[in-house]
Amino acid sequence: MVFQKPPDGGWGWVVVVVSFIAQFLCYGSPLAVGVLYIEWLDAFGEGKGKTAWVGSLANGIGLLASPVCSICVSSFGARPVAIFSGFMVAGGLMMSSFAPNIYFLYVSYGIVVGLGCGLLYTATVTITCHYFDKRRGLALGVIATGSSVGLFIYAALQRELIDLYGLDGCLLIVGALSLNVLACGSLMRPLESSSSPPPEKTCADKGPDQYFVYQGKEKTVEENISILEKGYIDEKCANNMPDYKQDSLLNKNVLISINANEKDTYKKKVVEQTNFCKQLAKRKWQLYLNYWRETVVLFKNKVFTALFFAILLFDIGGFPPSLLMEDVARSANIKEDDYPMPLISIIGIMTAVGKLTLGILADFKWVNTLYLYVTTLIMTGVALLAIPFAKSYLTLAMLSGILGFLTGNWSIFPYVTTKTVGIEKLTHAYGILMFFAGLGNSLGPPIVGWFYDWTQEYDTAFYFSGFCVLLGGFLLLLAALPCCNACTSQSSKLPPSTYSYKVASST
């Protein structure tokens, strides 16, 4: 498949709009799952750690399965994958309304909805990159805010739906809204080249394929005999030669000829196929060895190693507030009637502001993106340590806004990775980092919930979260300070490779 040159406009802006809407509809409920988390605690009576697994899986499984999502988009295209992801998200949300226990939610909401979100994210990013080159940063920034706006809207929407129709009715309605992703996906028209039609077959190529016994895929002896019989009979009918005796005699001659020569020919083909399989397996093994050698080279860069620990610890400690902040307010005896706005909505809207603001700052030449990212980590750790001292809605709202803004550092993370390892190794490095970011997303809320189950208060849990983020920030700062220029401007030599990585979600 040959793609046209990215037009940087035209139908591409339609793709950007529908991708924004699709991420809004798809990520709204999983990111605002904190509202549902409180209802699940009351409905199933399980511990906070066990219940938190539902939301953490929904947000982390998409990152963990990013290689699989990329393979799906590369194999089937962005539009079919986006449509299928709409079915997955809508089906998972609707099935969750009939959940008899928390374990059912692990599958229906955590895995099914999470995978659907991962597939949609990969599809939207891939199709947008096909349509844009010079304006790719702007296009990706616009669609990335769809999830943040979804968090802002769905936090209030799900609470209102729960008050009107209950938890089950809320999930059914939200699932029905997610079906609109199908319409968005259908508008993601692939950018393909149709100006060069395939060459026509010559007269020799137009010959009947049934006469080529070992052409393309290997066939068994019985299949070859039947093909030869069918080919000869078709030729007889086309030439209007109804000589049945001569037809029978010639068919017998064909069978005798095959029986005499097929054993040697078939054995030769089996040997050739066996050798080909051995060479293919050897080549694949060499590709895997090269991949792991390159991974080892990446981790020899101590700034990249520190960045690896920083993103893992940041997601373990920094993600729980977006899931648990509503329950933190309830634990502080703050009544829901005192809420001018849900705390999760504040986190959502400030995350969108943070993505845009930090992204703009990263474009200035005088701003070192690595130090900017470290600053956001340290400030996030301090804000997490301040949560146990917040006992009113106003203070929790202020901390929610600060945490939401700082969480927008996701927009500069690709810049930091590029500065650390170089553009040539960005795809490989970013894929590794995103996998462990998904692992941190999956582990963070359950760990905080287990701390609450153990101590019956959130103070220790957020001390732990703040310590994790601060530790990651200081590790990255120590690794970057002594040799920032040397480690980030030079890249280690890699072993020769004959492969390329296709991780659409890491664009």
Side-chain angles (χ1 to χ4, degrees):
M1 183 180 295
V2 180
F3 291 100
Q4 299 174 359
K5 183 180 178 180
D8 279 302
W11 190 260
W13 293 119
V14 177
V15 172
V16 169
V17 172
V18 297
S19 297
F20 174 89
I21 298 173
Q23 288 207 16
F24 168 83
L25 295 170
C26 196
Y27 278 94
S29 180
L31 290 178
V33 72
V35 176
L36 304 176
Y37 169 76
I38 297 176
E39 302 298 325
W40 286 331
L41 285 173
D42 297 336
F44 300 112
E46 300 286 353
K48 296 182 185 292
K50 185 181 291 187
T51 307
W53 270 110
V54 181
S56 63
L57 283 175
N59 287 277
I61 201 71
L63 291 174
L64 289 173
S66 57
V68 177
C69 298
S70 299
I71 292 173
C72 291
V73 174
S74 299
S75 302
F76 304 105
R79 179 158 59 179
V81 171
I83 294 173
F84 180 73
S85 68
F87 281 113
M88 287 193 69
V89 174
L93 290 170
M94 291 179 180
M95 285 192 299
S96 299
S97 66
F98 302 100
N101 51 55
I102 200 69
Y103 303 103
F104 187 90
L105 287 173
Y106 290 162
V107 178
S108 63
Y109 198 97
I111 296 178
V112 176
V113 175
L115 278 177
C117 292
L119 288 171
L120 182 77
Y121 176 80
T122 306
T124 54
V125 169
T126 302
I127 192 67
T128 303
C129 290
H130 285 171
Y131 273 92
F132 290 91
D133 184 16
K134 296 179 181 179
R135 301 177 180 177
R136 183 175 296 171
L138 174 62
L140 292 175
V142 171
I143 68 172
T145 57
S147 57
S148 300
V149 176
L151 169 58
F152 172 71
I153 298 296
Y154 269 72
L157 176 64
Q158 290 186 145
R159 174 179 290 179
E160 188 67 24
L161 290 175
I162 290 172
D163 293 339
L164 294 175
Y165 305 106
L167 177 61
D168 297 342
C170 171
L171 290 171
L172 284 173
I173 295 173
V174 171
L177 289 175
S178 300
L179 288 173
N180 290 285
V181 175
L182 306 181
C184 296
S186 65
L187 294 174
M188 296 178 186
R189 187 173 62 199
L191 186 65
E192 299 178 13
S193 177
S194 57
S195 57
S196 56
E200 295 183 359
K201 290 185 177 181
T202 63
C203 294
D205 296 332
K206 291 181 181 179
D209 293 338
Q210 57 264 30
Y211 290 108
F212 297 94
V213 178
Y214 292 101
Q215 182 179 11
K217 296 182 179 180
E218 302 294 336
K219 299 177 176 62
T220 62
V221 178
E222 293 78 10
E223 289 175 336
N224 291 325
I225 294 173
S226 63
I227 289 172
L228 285 171
E229 289 179 348
K230 182 180 183 297
Y232 185 77
I233 290 171
D234 290 343
E235 188 181 79
K236 291 287 293 180
C237 293
N239 295 328
N240 295 322
M241 294 176 63
D243 189 357
Y244 302 105
K245 292 183 179 181
Q246 185 179 0
D247 182 53
S248 177
L249 179 60
L250 289 175
N251 280 333
K252 288 181 179 179
N253 290 336
V254 172
L255 293 175
I256 292 172
S257 175
I258 288 180
N259 288 330
N261 298 323
E262 64 89 17
K263 289 185 178 180
D264 294 337
T265 307
Y266 192 71
K267 287 180 180 179
K268 182 179 178 180
K269 290 296 179 179
V270 169
V271 172
E272 291 177 357
Q273 192 175 27
T274 302
N275 292 334
F276 173 77
C277 291
K278 289 181 179 179
Q279 293 175 1
L280 182 62
K282 184 177 180 180
R283 182 183 177 187
K284 290 291 185 182
W285 178 250
Q286 187 63 38
L287 291 178
Y288 290 137
L289 287 179
N290 290 339
Y291 178 85
W292 290 113
R293 287 172 186 168
E294 185 174 348
T295 303
V296 172
V297 171
L298 283 174
F299 277 97
K300 287 182 179 179
N301 183 338
K302 58 182 180 181
V303 178
F304 175 80
T305 303
L307 189 63
F308 162 78
F309 285 107
I311 190 64
L312 178 62
L313 293 172
F314 172 75
D315 279 277
I316 289 177
F319 177 66
S322 62
L323 176 63
L324 305 174
M325 192 61 79
E326 296 293 326
D327 193 50
V328 171
R330 188 171 70 168
S331 300
N333 296 321
I334 300 175
K335 298 180 180 180
E336 293 186 2
D337 296 337
D338 299 334
Y339 285 18
M341 181 184 296
L343 296 175
I344 298 179
S345 294
I346 297 175
I347 293 176
I349 195 63
M350 290 305 297
T351 300
V353 174
K355 286 179 179 178
L356 294 175
T357 304
L358 294 175
I360 293 172
L361 287 175
D363 286 334
F364 289 108
K365 295 181 180 180
W366 52 270
V367 174
N368 187 309
T369 54
L370 185 59
Y371 291 146
L372 178 62
Y373 186 74
V374 170
T375 302
T376 60
L377 293 182
I378 294 175
M379 293 178 66
T380 300
V382 174
L384 289 170
L385 292 175
I387 289 179
F389 302 98
K391 302 300 181 182
S392 65
Y393 173 82
L394 180 60
T395 53
L396 285 176
M398 293 175 59
L399 289 174
S400 297
I402 294 172
L403 288 172
F405 180 87
L406 296 173
T407 305
N409 62 7
W410 275 98
S411 64
I412 64 172
F413 190 73
Y415 289 83
V416 177
T417 309
T418 305
K419 184 178 177 63
T420 303
V421 302
I423 190 65
E424 297 83 5
K425 294 175 278 185
L426 173 63
T427 301
H428 186 186
Y430 198 74
I432 294 173
L433 295 174
M434 286 300 98
F435 176 85
F436 285 96
L439 184 63
N441 273 347
S442 301
L443 294 178
I447 291 175
V448 172
W450 288 330
F451 269 109
Y452 184 93
D453 294 336
W454 178 38
T455 61
Q456 295 302 309
E457 43 87 15
Y458 275 116
D459 294 354
T460 306
F462 282 103
Y463 289 148
F464 169 79
S465 297
F467 173 76
C468 285
V469 178
L470 283 176
L471 177 62
F474 282 118
L475 284 176
L476 184 57
L477 179 62
L478 292 176
L481 277 178
C483 53
C484 179
N485 294 328
C487 289
T488 58
S489 62
Q490 297 179 358
S491 58
S492 301
K493 292 184 178 181
L494 296 177
S497 305
T498 58
Y499 55 93
S500 62
Y501 301 104
K502 295 180 180 179
V503 184
S505 60
S506 65
T507 305

